[in-house]
């Protein structure tokens, strides 16, 4: 008898759907010849775009001989990378310590511990993610584990250079003219930009950043000393500042009017995509829905 080979959970990461928005574009859509497409990364097994770099960082570190199953991994996270790494660690046999500011949603905390990770909460009023990143570095220096460092690890954008970017190119048959993404670690926008511009340098890459005073999970504007080392400003053509109220309102509209239940940073990217659509004609605009809205229910955003 012939052996049947079945997929593992790791095998089904990626190849996420790309769907057309029908109502939200309004006059910025078909009337101007524009198409706005949502890349549904919440369809990954741990629920976000971060599944891609999480497995990539572990696989590549193993290949270099830097880690092996049974080791302890450490990462500072605002949520999605931590959940993805917790899943990847469970699959590949690692202990996982995640460090996260204490003002982030309880759904994120519960998801991390469900996968078996140890969670350390840091006081948001003492520096938030910057504090968490510093603590992770200290713990590594004390020999408590290996920091994968999503902010400085080239395997983060590599996952999108090899996966997300080619998928968008193929799914649009090379017609994509604009790519829009929230900017956090910047891994997604860096890797996708590098791939798409290698196929067509005219493609415009737009980054969504928080407006002054806004706090949007997954969208950050880092102080200079904490700017991710993987970030290359030459790969982003333009920026859109998104307010917290705009992102939250758009998250509700995206679910209620398009049936796409995405997170707040996903909605921020859509706000940016719609602004682009108001300025251009005959464009194919792709934005990333980086996670699912059920990760934010306890925040009251969808009430």
């Amino acid at each position: 008898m012939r052996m049947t080979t079945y997929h593992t959970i790791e095998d089904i990461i990626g190849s996420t759907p790309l769907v057309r928005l029908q109502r939200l574009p309004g006059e910025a859509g078909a009337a101007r010849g524009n198409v706005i497409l949502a890349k549904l990364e919440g369809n990954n097994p741990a629920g976000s775009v971060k599944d891609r770099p999480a497995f990539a960082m572990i696989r590549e570190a193993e290949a270099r001989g830097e880690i092996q199953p049974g080791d302890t991994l450490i990462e500072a996270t605002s949520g999605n990378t931590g959940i993805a790494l917790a899943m990847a660690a469970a699959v590949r046999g690692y202990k996982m310590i995640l460090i996260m500011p204490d003002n982030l949603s309880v759904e994120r905390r519960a998801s991390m511990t469900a996968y078996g990770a140890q969670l350390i909460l840091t006081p948001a009023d003492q520096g938030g993610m910057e504090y968490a990143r510093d603590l992770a570095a200290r713990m590594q220096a004390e020999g408590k584990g290996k920091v994968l460092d999503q902010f400085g690890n080239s395997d983060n954008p590599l996952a999108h250079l090899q996966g997300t970017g080619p998928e968008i190119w193929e799914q649009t048959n090379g017609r994509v003219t604009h790519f829009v993404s929230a900017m956090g670690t910047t891994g997604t926008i860096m890797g996708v930009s590098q791939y798409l511009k290698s196929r067509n340098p005219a493609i415009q890459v737009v980054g969504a950043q928080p407006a002054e005073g806004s706090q949007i999970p997954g969208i950050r504007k880092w102080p200079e000393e904490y700017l991710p080392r993987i970030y290359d400003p030459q790969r982003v053509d333009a920026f859109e500042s998104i307010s917290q109220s705009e992102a939250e309102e758009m998250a509700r509209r995206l679910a209620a009017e398009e049936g796409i239940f995405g997170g707040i940073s996903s909605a921020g990217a859509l706000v940016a995509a719609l602004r682009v659509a108001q300025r251009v004609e005959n464009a194919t605009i792709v934005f990333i829905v980086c996670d699912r809205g059920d990760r934010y229910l306890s925040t009251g955003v969808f009430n």
Side-chain angles (χ1 to χ4, degrees), residues 257-295:
E257 297 179 41
E258 296 284 352
I260 298 173
F261 193 23
I264 317 306
S265 59
S266 308
L270 174 54
V271 172
L274 289 171
R275 289 183 191 170
V276 171
Q278 291 165 359
R279 301 193 294 262
V280 300
E281 294 181 349
N282 302 315
T284 300
I285 303 165
V286 176
F287 76 99
I288 295 288
V289 179
C290 52
D291 63 1
R292 298 192 300 252
D294 53 11
R295 236 155 236 189

Side-chain angles (χ1 to χ4, degrees), residues 111-132:
S111 296
M112 294 174 194
T113 55
Y115 285 118
Q118 176 188 342
L119 182 58
I120 298 174
L121 295 176
T122 61
D125 59 4
Q126 293 185 24
M129 274 301 297
E130 290 86 350
Y131 183 101

Side-chain angles (χ1 to χ4, degrees), residues 48 50 75-85 98-109 111-112 119-122 128-130 132-133 150-151 183-186 216-220 222 265 290-291 295-296 299:
S48 85
K50 300 297 188 178
E75 192 70 17
T77 177
S78 63
N80 283 331
T81 300
I83 295 168
L85 280 172
L98 297 168
I99 307 171
M100 187 176 81
D102 62 7
N103 63 339
L104 296 170
S105 71
V106 295
E107 291 92 346
R108 295 184 177 208
R109 303 182 200 180
S111 296
M112 294 174 194
L119 182 58
I120 298 174
L121 295 176
T122 61
M129 274 301 297
E130 290 86 350
R133 288 170 65 179
Q150 59 179 318
F151 305 95
M183 294 178 65
T185 68
T186 73
I216 305 171
I219 304 182
R220 287 297 305 267
W222 298 97
S265 59
C290 52
D291 63 1
R295 236 155 236 189
Y296 305 87
T299 68

Side-chain angles (χ1 to χ4, degrees), residues 208-235:
Q209 293 191 321
E212 190 68 32
S214 292
Q215 294 186 346
I216 305 171
I219 304 182
R220 287 297 305 267
K221 192 170 185 178
W222 298 97
E224 188 67 31
E225 63 270 27
Y226 288 94
L227 196 66
R229 294 195 308 278
I230 59 175
Y231 176 61
D232 179 355
Q234 295 183 348
R235 291 189 179 146

